[in-house]
Structure formats: structure tokens, C-alpha cells
Amino acid sequence: MTGSKLWGWIVERLRSPARVLLAGAVICVLAVAGATSFALATPSLGLRLAADFDAGTVHVVAAQGPGAEVPVGSTVVALVGAGGERFELRATDLIEEPDFLDTYEEMAAFFERQTVLARLLEGERVEVVLGGTSGDSVTIAPVTIAPTGRALEALPFVYWFQCFSGCAGFLIGLWVLALSPRMLGARLFAALGAM
């Protein structure tokens, strides 16, 4: 059974556009809940960081949990993993949406750095190297704090906007399909919304 025939079969079985949209809304809620659960279960240092793109530096805005001893307002220069791997932190490491980067090479480098950073945070401990004349460093252990720790507020606005946009596109595609289940254009539009 091809994808377009499957959509048509599903819509015909549900019989009414309201049922199709209700089923789509349930799918959206489950998808957002799963993505949010995954996002909240990632290791965290307990630091909220802000980037100064003009200076290219990263500053601590808030510190709690495993990173509570890191002074608020300090500049984070690097992170050092348990194996001694040093990761020099850049302001661009904190961008929420890399689509403003000019080239594919810049985007690939960004994703490569994010992969290294994620691997570093999965270790037993991370040393946070602070800027300044003393070259202070604080050793903290990242922990997975999904059940009780990281709150929904830790997820940025961009995350919620993308969840909303994805669900809206999916539901609009289903709505068009529910109104005209046999039309090829409606099936293609629904498939586009599902993507």
C-alpha cells in the first residue's frame, strides 16, 4: 500500500474531518510530549549561559544544581572532560537556530561542535574553566535530571515555536486531506504537512 493510498484509507475509516483532526491532534500531543521528555532528559550542568556575540564570549547568567558553585556573571572560557579533552567555548555555540549561518561548511562545523559538546557532557565530570586573571576552574558532574530537575522553562522559546509550527503544518495538511481524501493534490499536501 503506497503512502497516498494509506492516507486515503485512514481518512475513509475515520469518516469525518473532525475525527481526522482529533486523531492528528493526539499524534501531535504525543510527538511533542516525547520530544520534550527527550529534551529534558539530556545531561545538564545546571548553568544558564548567555552569549556576547560582539566579544565572542560566554557568560553565566544563572547557576543551580550541579553547577551551583559557578559564580554568576563569570565568563566561561572552556569545558574540560573527564578524559582531559578541552572544548573552547565560543559565543556561536549558544545559537538556538543555526539557519542564519551563511554556508553549509559553517553549519557542518556548528553541528560537529555540538556533537563534541554533547559527548563531553555525557562524561562523569566536567571542569568549567572560567576567564579572568586567576584562570579559575570549577569541576562539576553533569547529571540527567529529567524526573525532578530541569523544568519546562529551561527549553527556549524557539523550541516551543518549532513544536507549534510543526503541529500546525501537520494539522492543516490533515484538514485538507479530510475534506478531499481522493484528490492527489490533497494527499500530497497532507504528506508535505507530515514532513
Side-chain angles (χ1 to χ4, degrees):
M1 184 175 276
T2 65
S4 62
K5 288 182 181 179
L6 178 63
W7 277 112
W9 181 83
I10 291 171
V11 170
E12 287 176 21
R13 294 303 173 263
L14 293 176
R15 308 251 173 172
S16 92
R19 287 183 184 171
V20 171
L21 289 177
L22 180 61
V26 168
I27 291 170
C28 285
V29 167
L30 293 174
V32 170
T36 302
S37 173
F38 179 75
L40 294 177
T42 57
S44 172
L45 296 175
L47 302 176
R48 192 160 37 114
L49 305 174
D52 181 352
F53 291 102
D54 294 330
T57 56
V58 176
H59 304 281
V60 178
V61 177
Q64 60 185 14
E69 59 194 63
V70 177
V72 173
S74 59
T75 301
V76 179
V77 176
L79 301 175
V80 180
E85 179 182 12
R86 185 178 174 99
F87 183 84
E88 299 290 332
L89 208 56
R90 301 177 191 162
T92 54
D93 292 326
L94 298 184
I95 60 174
E96 296 171 339
E97 191 61 47
D99 61 351
F100 78 89
L101 296 172
D102 294 329
T103 66
Y104 288 118
E105 290 79 19
E106 289 176 334
M107 197 172 279
F110 172 79
F111 288 128
E112 185 177 322
R113 287 183 60 80
Q114 293 296 305
T115 301
V116 171
L117 182 59
R119 189 171 41 244
L120 190 75
L121 292 176
E122 290 173 353
E124 294 176 9
R125 66 176 179 81
V126 173
E127 183 178 341
V128 179
V129 180
L130 304 176
T133 55
S134 61
D136 294 340
S137 67
V138 179
T139 302
I140 55 179
V143 294
T144 301
I145 51 176
T148 58
R150 192 182 287 190
L152 289 176
E153 298 87 41
L155 298 174
F157 171 76
V158 172
Y159 171 82
W160 297 110
F161 180 76
Q162 289 178 342
C163 286
F164 172 78
S165 299
C167 289
F170 178 69
L171 291 174
I172 289 170
L174 278 182
W175 178 54
V176 170
L177 181 64
L179 296 176
S180 305
R182 298 199 185 280
M183 289 182 60
L184 177 61
R187 292 175 182 175
L188 292 175
F189 187 75
L192 178 67
M195 296 300 128

Short mmCIF file of all heavy atoms in Angstrom, two decimals, residues 67-90:
data_model
loop_
_atom_site.label_atom_id
_atom_site.label_comp_id
_atom_site.label_asym_id
_atom_site.label_seq_id
_atom_site.Cartn_x
_atom_site.Cartn_y
_atom_site.Cartn_z
N GLY A 67 25.91 22.80 38.95
CA GLY A 67 26.79 23.94 38.68
C GLY A 67 26.57 25.11 39.62
O GLY A 67 26.99 26.24 39.33
N ALA A 68 25.95 24.87 40.76
CA ALA A 68 25.60 25.97 41.67
C ALA A 68 26.81 26.74 42.18
O ALA A 68 26.70 27.91 42.51
CB ALA A 68 24.80 25.42 42.85
N GLU A 69 27.98 26.10 42.22
CA GLU A 69 29.16 26.79 42.74
C GLU A 69 29.85 27.69 41.71
O GLU A 69 30.77 28.43 42.06
CB GLU A 69 30.16 25.77 43.30
CG GLU A 69 30.63 24.77 42.27
CD GLU A 69 31.35 23.58 42.90
OE1 GLU A 69 30.69 22.86 43.67
OE2 GLU A 69 32.54 23.43 42.63
N VAL A 70 29.42 27.65 40.48
CA VAL A 70 29.99 28.53 39.46
C VAL A 70 29.43 29.94 39.67
O VAL A 70 28.22 30.12 39.72
CB VAL A 70 29.65 28.03 38.03
CG1 VAL A 70 30.19 28.99 36.98
CG2 VAL A 70 30.19 26.64 37.81
N PRO A 71 30.29 30.96 39.81
CA PRO A 71 29.81 32.31 40.09
C PRO A 71 29.01 32.90 38.92
O PRO A 71 29.45 32.85 37.77
CB PRO A 71 31.09 33.11 40.32
CG PRO A 71 32.22 32.16 40.31
CD PRO A 71 31.74 30.87 39.78
N VAL A 72 27.85 33.44 39.24
CA VAL A 72 27.03 34.11 38.23
C VAL A 72 27.76 35.36 37.76
O VAL A 72 28.35 36.09 38.55
CB VAL A 72 25.64 34.47 38.82
CG1 VAL A 72 24.84 35.32 37.84
CG2 VAL A 72 24.88 33.21 39.18
N GLY A 73 27.74 35.59 36.45
CA GLY A 73 28.43 36.74 35.87
C GLY A 73 29.82 36.42 35.36
O GLY A 73 30.43 37.22 34.65
N SER A 74 30.35 35.24 35.72
CA SER A 74 31.70 34.89 35.27
C SER A 74 31.68 34.50 33.79
O SER A 74 30.66 34.14 33.23
CB SER A 74 32.27 33.76 36.12
OG SER A 74 31.44 32.63 36.05
N THR A 75 32.83 34.58 33.18
CA THR A 75 33.00 34.20 31.77
C THR A 75 33.50 32.77 31.71
O THR A 75 34.48 32.41 32.36
CB THR A 75 34.02 35.13 31.08
OG1 THR A 75 33.55 36.47 31.19
CG2 THR A 75 34.20 34.76 29.63
N VAL A 76 32.81 31.95 30.92
CA VAL A 76 33.22 30.56 30.73
C VAL A 76 34.11 30.51 29.50
O VAL A 76 33.69 30.85 28.40
CB VAL A 76 32.01 29.63 30.57
CG1 VAL A 76 32.47 28.19 30.34
CG2 VAL A 76 31.10 29.71 31.77
N VAL A 77 35.35 30.08 29.69
CA VAL A 77 36.32 30.02 28.61
C VAL A 77 36.28 28.66 27.92
O VAL A 77 36.32 28.57 26.70
CB VAL A 77 37.74 30.31 29.14
CG1 VAL A 77 38.78 30.16 28.05
CG2 VAL A 77 37.80 31.68 29.76
N ALA A 78 36.22 27.59 28.73
CA ALA A 78 36.29 26.24 28.16
C ALA A 78 35.65 25.24 29.10
O ALA A 78 35.42 25.52 30.27
CB ALA A 78 37.74 25.86 27.90
N LEU A 79 35.39 24.06 28.55
CA LEU A 79 34.96 22.91 29.33
C LEU A 79 35.99 21.81 29.10
O LEU A 79 36.44 21.60 27.97
CB LEU A 79 33.58 22.43 28.88
CG LEU A 79 32.44 23.44 28.97
CD1 LEU A 79 31.17 22.84 28.36
CD2 LEU A 79 32.20 23.85 30.40
N VAL A 80 36.36 21.12 30.18
CA VAL A 80 37.33 20.04 30.07
C VAL A 80 36.66 18.76 30.57
O VAL A 80 36.16 18.71 31.69
CB VAL A 80 38.61 20.33 30.90
CG1 VAL A 80 39.59 19.19 30.78
CG2 VAL A 80 39.23 21.66 30.47
N GLY A 81 36.66 17.74 29.72
CA GLY A 81 36.02 16.48 30.06
C GLY A 81 36.86 15.64 30.99
O GLY A 81 38.01 15.95 31.30
N ALA A 82 36.30 14.53 31.44
CA ALA A 82 36.98 13.63 32.37
C ALA A 82 38.27 13.07 31.78
O ALA A 82 39.22 12.80 32.49
CB ALA A 82 36.04 12.49 32.78
N GLY A 83 38.31 12.92 30.46
CA GLY A 83 39.50 12.39 29.81
C GLY A 83 40.52 13.45 29.45
O GLY A 83 41.51 13.16 28.79
N GLY A 84 40.27 14.70 29.85
CA GLY A 84 41.19 15.78 29.57
C GLY A 84 40.92 16.51 28.26
O GLY A 84 41.66 17.43 27.89
N GLU A 85 39.87 16.13 27.56
CA GLU A 85 39.53 16.80 26.31
C GLU A 85 39.03 18.22 26.61
O GLU A 85 38.08 18.41 27.35
CB GLU A 85 38.45 16.00 25.58
CG GLU A 85 38.01 16.62 24.28
CD GLU A 85 36.90 15.83 23.60
OE1 GLU A 85 36.32 14.92 24.25
OE2 GLU A 85 36.61 16.11 22.45
N ARG A 86 39.70 19.21 26.02
CA ARG A 86 39.35 20.61 26.26
C ARG A 86 38.50 21.14 25.10
O ARG A 86 38.86 20.98 23.95
CB ARG A 86 40.61 21.45 26.41
CG ARG A 86 40.35 22.89 26.78
CD ARG A 86 41.66 23.65 26.96
NE ARG A 86 41.45 25.07 27.17
CZ ARG A 86 41.45 25.67 28.34
NH1 ARG A 86 41.69 24.96 29.43
NH2 ARG A 86 41.25 26.97 28.45
N PHE A 87 37.39 21.77 25.45
CA PHE A 87 36.47 22.33 24.47
C PHE A 87 36.40 23.83 24.70
O PHE A 87 35.82 24.28 25.69
CB PHE A 87 35.09 21.68 24.61
CG PHE A 87 34.08 22.15 23.61
CD1 PHE A 87 34.02 21.56 22.35
CD2 PHE A 87 33.19 23.16 23.92
CE1 PHE A 87 33.08 21.98 21.43
CE2 PHE A 87 32.25 23.59 22.99
CZ PHE A 87 32.20 22.99 21.75
N GLU A 88 37.02 24.61 23.82
CA GLU A 88 36.99 26.07 23.93
C GLU A 88 35.59 26.54 23.54
O GLU A 88 35.14 26.31 22.42
CB GLU A 88 38.03 26.70 23.01
CG GLU A 88 39.46 26.31 23.33
CD GLU A 88 39.98 26.91 24.63
OE1 GLU A 88 39.50 27.99 25.03
OE2 GLU A 88 40.85 26.28 25.25
N LEU A 89 34.91 27.19 24.46
CA LEU A 89 33.54 27.63 24.22
C LEU A 89 33.52 28.94 23.44
O LEU A 89 34.27 29.87 23.76
CB LEU A 89 32.83 27.79 25.57
CG LEU A 89 31.33 27.60 25.59
CD1 LEU A 89 30.93 26.25 25.04
CD2 LEU A 89 30.81 27.73 27.01
N ARG A 90 32.69 29.00 22.43
CA ARG A 90 32.50 30.21 21.62
C ARG A 90 31.07 30.71 21.77
O ARG A 90 30.17 29.93 22.07
CB ARG A 90 32.73 29.91 20.13
CG ARG A 90 34.08 29.37 19.80
CD ARG A 90 34.12 29.06 18.31
NE ARG A 90 35.31 28.31 17.97
CZ ARG A 90 35.45 27.61 16.86
NH1 ARG A 90 34.47 27.56 15.98
NH2 ARG A 90 36.57 26.97 16.61
#
